[in-house]
Amino acid sequence: MSDKRDVRNSLLFECAWEVANKVGGIYTVIKTKVPVTVSEYGDRYCLIGPLSYKTAPMEVESEEPTDPYLAATLEAMKSQGVKSLYGRWLIEGAPHVLLFDTGSMYHKLDEWKGDLWDLAGIPSPPNDHETNETIVFGYLVAWFLGDYVSRRLDKAVVAHFHEWQAGLAIPLCRKRHIDVTTVFTTHATLLGRYLCAGSVDFYNNLQYFDVDHEAGKRGIYHRYCIERSAAHCADVFTTVSHITAYESEHLLKRKPDGVVPNGLNVVKFQAMHEFQNLHSTSKAKINEFVRGHFYGHYDFDLDNTLYMFTAGRYEYRNKGVDMFIESLARLNYRLQKSGSNVTVVAFIIMPAATNSYTIEALKGQAVTKQLRDTVTEIQNRVGARLFEHAARVHGDQTVAPTPDELLSSEDLVLLKRRIFALKRNSLPPITTHNMVDDANDPILNQIRRVKLFNNDNDRVKIVFHPDFLNSNNPILGLDYEEFVRGCHLGVFPSYYEPWGYTPAECTVMGIPSITTNLSGFGCFLQDLIERPQDEGCYIVDRRMKSVEDSVNQLTDYMFSFCNKTRRQRINQRNRVERLSPLLDWKNLGIEYSKSRQLALRRAYPDQFYGPDGEPYVDMESEEDYFGGGVGRMPPMSVPASPRLRGVATPGDIGTLTEEMQSLKTSDYRGNGWPSTVEDDEDSYPFPLVMKIRSRAGSVMSGASTPGGGTFNSLTERDLQQADEALSQVKGEVNGIH
């Protein structure tokens, strides 16, 4: 057997706290990314996570490991008392998954805490349950990897960790000199989330924070130490967006090697109009809710009503709900002043502590349903009488019956009773639920402050739904996806949003959205597309503008949207939906492939470069070596379709910094993702103007991060001069020889 590990067919272990264990957004990232990773690695890929007895039995089908080295390692750990579950995760791609029961090793917790202090100087308080779980899980993963690579000597092993809860194994692997190559991806920083929730100008003061002091003050110093040690000990450190890269550089004190944007599994419809039809049917269901919720005050035209919404975790400031409500109040004023006949119903979907549905909300749906049933009943009776009358006509009789003949006095009485039941003395409720702490709820208090109480003369109405959406809901009976499709505009003016799945989901479903340049998704689109607002993705500047200016900009965007004709909105939805391939894992997964490639090159440089530093393979053969996939952008004279098959991926905005180290990542040919004939035959009737990426722009990692623009990096002219100087030196050297 060769003493060198095979880097061509490396093994991949991907480790995260949310593997087969839904807690938050990372579960979505990993679950949706699995199909492209499985297509690249096949059975050489395995996910590692904690064993949750609540969810694992429903998500994982256990089976015996087919890899003898893996089986031997698990058997050795089992003999020491470690409980684990190995099998297939029952999702698309059906990857191998290994779950460790942290509870089975809790008796080792104090010993491992002492070791962690001796080894890395990381403290751990006794009562932090989440950190205790992290320590046990980290030590189990490091134990597993150490044992496995000592048995499996023929292949290189890449271990990819997400977030600090999984990252503790990285410093342990480094200290124990375990022969694995590590990648650490942070989806947000601990300190960033805490600092943004307070009222600080976070992004413009990043470089001035005393990180140790700030972490200690908030009681998270030990967690911060774990996160920072994982970032520094990993061979490759990546983040999900440029804004998080900028944050990580200042808070974790390491500049990320690259950006790996989050994708989605995009399902393309056969015909363009299909997603428009879905919008129409979902909107009809929201219309039903609105008729019931606003009964007694339903004096607006639903054909001239726009549905806007914001959704996410209940983080009042971080998610920008404060700015959204303030802008709605200003939008209301502007619509009233302009004499507009447009009504806006704004939904806030954010789970909070509630007791039950409000009586008013339930009553509204009940009386409207009664009215509909009564009208249907009368309709059937009137229809039967009309048919009977028409069938009896003969000779010179008049054909048309009188209204009195069709609508009986009993029908009229019944109808009047139903209509009188719709009278109400109170205004339509703001919230659909009884809140646990109504008086101190920040969203309700701000709505009270701006006086948006759903008055008849208000052009903007508000509905706060403090619970997850599902189709069994007796008030708003739609799943989240169905609800989003029925709305006209998603508004997410976040202050702290490392990526932002909500606007990305809107884009994939063909719904226009408003986000900010402080969200990863907003930066991603700004870097990729000229004038994203023309494509239905509006980006509010919350970084370089004052709060007042940002609120006005958001109001302007919403007001201009309200002034669009129905035809313009339909065209805009078409333009938004065609951006969806930019967010497809088939394209964005290549950035993960690049980060693993860089990790292997750093861990095993002798497998890639000779003693003089020259690469073993030239670029032509390297394409065969790693499988084709990514080329350069076509010249902009060609009207580019947003489909990026065969051209640079959107993730090239975060091309890894190998170029600085002569590793030529910008020319790296990624893995060829599976494609279909249908994908290649897509075409769009209107061009999408993509930004041209210069060579200079990719020289610095985070070149397009705020505060780190291309003006700090080399220009194209600088590079040309350097090339000329180098060729001159080479000529002189050759002349000497």
Side-chain angles (χ1 to χ4, degrees):
M1 187 193 295
S2 164
D3 59 345
K4 284 188 177 178
R5 291 183 180 272
D6 179 5
V7 294
R8 300 177 185 220
N9 298 300
S10 59
L11 302 165
L12 173 62
F13 290 102
E14 191 159 9
C15 182
W17 191 257
E18 298 196 30
V19 170
N21 177 37
K22 186 174 172 71
V23 179
I26 297 167
Y27 177 86
T28 308
V29 176
I30 291 166
K31 186 177 174 180
T32 54
K33 186 175 68 67
V34 158
V36 294
T37 316
V38 167
S39 73
E40 184 183 358
Y41 278 87
D43 281 345
R44 292 179 288 122
Y45 174 50
C46 180
L47 289 143
I48 302 177
L51 175 53
S52 161
Y53 287 103
K54 223 188 315 186
T55 57
M58 292 173 281
E59 295 208 28
V60 178
E61 180 183 22
S62 72
E63 60 178 41
E64 288 300 313
T66 49
D67 177 350
Y69 306 104
L70 190 82
T73 298
L74 291 181
E75 194 54 47
M77 291 178 77
K78 187 179 177 183
S79 67
Q80 299 277 319
V82 178
K83 289 182 183 172
S84 62
L85 171 65
Y86 180 83
R88 295 267 185 188
W89 191 3
L90 299 175
I91 57 172
E92 188 186 350
H96 291 296
V97 66
L98 173 58
L99 305 177
F100 287 113
D101 178 3
T102 50
S104 65
M105 280 287 119
Y106 248 74
H107 61 276
K108 289 264 196 183
L109 179 62
D110 289 337
E111 181 191 328
W112 284 345
K113 279 185 172 186
D115 182 62
L116 186 61
W117 174 253
D118 296 338
L119 203 66
I122 296 175
S124 44
N127 301 322
D128 186 346
H129 177 68
E130 197 173 356
T131 304
N132 290 345
E133 289 279 322
T134 297
I135 291 170
V136 175
F137 182 58
Y139 269 81
L140 284 171
V141 172
W143 179 357
F144 166 77
L145 290 172
D147 195 296
Y148 182 75
V149 297
S150 68
R151 297 169 192 270
R152 183 87 189 240
L153 302 170
D154 59 331
K155 290 191 190 311
V157 175
V158 179
H160 191 145
F161 299 87
H162 295 266
E163 284 295 278
W164 70 277
Q165 291 103 323
L168 184 66
I170 298 175
L172 297 178
C173 288
R174 175 60 66 91
K175 283 285 189 180
R176 295 174 185 179
H177 304 290
I178 295 171
D179 192 7
V180 296
T181 177
T182 53
V183 181
F184 180 58
T185 299
T186 183
H187 295 254
T189 65
L190 275 167
L191 208 46
R193 200 178 286 285
Y194 276 85
L195 286 168
C196 278
S199 294
V200 289
D201 185 4
F202 177 68
Y203 289 100
N204 292 322
N205 291 298
L206 259 179
Q207 61 269 45
Y208 307 121
F209 287 120
D210 177 347
V211 286
D212 292 332
H213 172 71
E214 294 290 349
K217 201 162 72 176
R218 287 163 175 77
I220 55 164
Y221 181 69
H222 51 291
R223 296 182 179 194
Y224 169 72
C225 287
I226 294 171
E227 184 176 48
R228 187 163 164 177
S229 67
H232 282 267
C233 293
D235 292 314
V236 169
F237 173 44
T238 62
T239 66
V240 293
S241 64
H242 282 300
I243 196 80
T244 316
Y246 177 56
E247 181 188 329
S248 301
E249 186 182 340
H250 290 291
L251 298 185
L252 298 178
K253 308 300 181 189
R254 177 176 177 183
K255 189 165 194 152
D257 295 300
V259 170
V260 285
N262 290 332
L264 287 159
N265 286 334
V266 177
V267 179
K268 296 290 284 178
F269 291 107
Q270 294 297 314
M272 275 289 265
H273 62 265
E274 285 186 44
F275 81 94
Q276 297 278 12
N277 293 345
L278 285 173
H279 166 74
S280 187
T281 53
S282 297
K283 188 176 77 170
K285 292 183 181 178
I286 299 177
N287 286 348
E288 281 299 299
F289 162 78
V290 167
R291 286 191 189 99
H293 192 77
F294 292 93
Y295 83 91
H297 295 270
Y298 170 48
D299 53 0
F300 46 91
D301 179 8
L302 285 182
D303 284 338
N304 273 329
T305 299
L306 298 179
Y307 297 137
M308 299 182 184
F309 81 100
T310 192
R313 265 193 313 276
Y314 196 144
E315 291 180 20
Y316 173 68
R317 179 176 149 81
N318 284 359
K319 296 294 181 190
V321 190
D322 50 354
M323 183 177 278
F324 181 46
I325 296 170
E326 177 59 36
S327 296
L328 286 174
R330 296 184 186 192
L331 175 66
N332 185 45
Y333 176 78
R334 287 176 67 171
L335 288 172
Q336 286 171 332
K337 283 293 173 204
S338 65
S340 173
N341 63 348
V342 171
T343 303
V344 172
V345 178
F347 292 90
I348 300 171
I349 313 290
M350 288 193 163
T354 60
N355 291 319
S356 60
Y357 298 112
T358 61
I359 298 293
E360 276 295 293
L362 288 167
K363 185 184 172 187
Q365 300 306 315
V367 294
T368 316
K369 184 178 183 303
Q370 273 186 328
L371 177 64
R372 179 170 291 285
D373 291 346
T374 301
V375 168
T376 307
E377 204 180 303
I378 293 172
Q379 206 176 324
N380 291 338
R381 289 207 286 264
V382 168
R385 288 181 198 128
L386 183 61
F387 175 78
E388 193 63 29
H389 185 278
R392 286 169 178 269
V393 170
H394 58 86
D396 295 333
Q397 282 184 332
T398 54
V399 174
T402 62
D404 291 342
E405 287 176 301
L406 292 180
L407 197 63
S408 70
S409 56
E410 291 88 348
D411 292 341
L412 209 52
V413 168
L414 192 57
L415 192 58
K416 281 180 181 173
R417 288 181 62 157
R418 294 289 176 258
I419 291 170
F420 288 163
L422 293 177
K423 289 183 178 176
R424 84 194 313 180
N425 299 319
S426 59
L427 290 171
I430 296 295
T431 177
T432 55
H433 292 59
N434 291 310
M435 305 292 288
V436 167
D437 192 6
D438 186 296
N440 297 311
D441 185 80
I443 289 179
L444 291 179
N445 279 339
Q446 195 186 353
I447 292 170
R448 290 171 188 135
R449 199 160 52 244
V450 299
K451 296 185 168 56
L452 281 178
F453 295 133
N454 295 340
N455 278 305
D456 290 353
N457 62 338
D458 283 334
R459 296 271 45 85
V460 173
K461 321 282 186 185
I462 290 190
V463 178
F464 176 27
H465 187 275
D467 197 4
F468 289 112
L469 290 173
N470 70 68
S471 50
N472 300 322
N473 187 322
I475 291 176
L476 189 52
L478 292 93
D479 287 325
Y480 179 71
E481 182 181 334
E482 211 177 352
F483 172 77
V484 172
R485 284 195 186 278
C487 288
H488 296 93
L489 181 70
V491 186
F492 312 101
S494 305
Y495 186 71
Y496 185 76
E497 189 76 82
W499 174 246
Y501 256 128
T502 39
E505 285 166 338
C506 283
T507 304
V508 167
M509 292 185 219
I511 301 300
S513 62
I514 300 177
T515 183
T516 69
N517 61 351
L518 292 183
S519 79
F521 176 75
C523 290
F524 174 79
L525 284 181
Q526 265 187 331
D527 272 343
L528 209 58
I529 302 168
E530 295 287 354
R531 296 185 56 78
Q533 63 269 31
D534 291 351
E535 305 299 324
C537 294
Y538 302 92
I539 297 167
V540 173
D541 185 353
R542 286 201 70 174
R543 178 165 164 68
M544 307 313 287
K545 288 188 175 181
S546 68
V547 175
E548 176 69 15
D549 290 345
S550 299
V551 170
N552 284 333
Q553 187 183 10
L554 176 56
T555 310
D556 289 342
Y557 280 152
M558 293 196 293
F559 185 65
S560 69
F561 186 82
C562 291
N563 289 329
K564 286 184 185 296
T565 63
R566 187 158 182 265
R567 182 80 198 158
Q568 286 172 324
R569 291 199 305 271
I570 289 170
N571 284 340
Q572 191 178 49
R573 282 198 293 275
N574 284 336
R575 295 179 82 90
V576 173
E577 199 269 346
R578 75 188 183 136
L579 295 179
S580 57
L582 300 183
L583 299 166
D584 197 335
W585 274 123
K586 289 191 182 78
N587 294 315
L588 295 179
I590 285 178
E591 292 308 310
Y592 274 88
S593 191
K594 284 183 184 177
S595 63
R596 293 189 287 264
Q597 181 62 20
L598 174 54
L600 286 167
R601 287 176 179 223
R602 285 184 176 169
Y604 306 106
D606 55 323
Q607 300 251 36
F608 294 91
Y609 304 99
D612 54 355
E614 283 297 307
Y616 279 134
V617 280
D618 58 19
M619 289 316 294
E620 285 72 32
S621 57
E622 192 164 312
E623 181 167 354
D624 303 326
Y625 186 63
F626 290 111
V630 191
R632 308 313 304 149
M633 276 285 185
M636 287 285 87
S637 56
V638 181
S641 139
R643 184 188 69 255
L644 294 183
R645 182 87 53 230
V647 297
T649 67
D652 273 343
I653 63 170
T655 291
L656 302 164
T657 48
E658 284 187 79
E659 197 164 305
M660 291 170 72
Q661 303 150 24
S662 311
L663 297 179
K664 296 188 173 66
T665 309
S666 62
D667 300 321
Y668 161 65
R669 306 282 173 178
N671 188 69
W673 307 111
S675 64
T676 60
V677 177
E678 289 82 15
D679 280 347
D680 290 332
E681 288 175 354
D682 278 358
S683 64
Y684 294 97
F686 28 76
L688 172 68
V689 183
M690 306 290 284
K691 286 191 175 176
I692 301 170
R693 288 274 143 210
S694 71
R695 186 158 62 115
S698 62
V699 168
M700 270 179 63
S701 169
S704 51
T705 58
T710 47
F711 53 80
N712 285 341
S713 67
L714 299 173
T715 64
E716 198 73 33
R717 178 77 188 126
D718 291 334
L719 290 167
Q720 284 170 2
Q721 287 175 342
D723 288 344
E724 286 163 14
L726 279 171
S727 55
Q728 196 176 338
V729 170
K730 281 179 188 168
E732 288 171 6
V733 170
N734 291 338
I736 292 167
H737 287 300

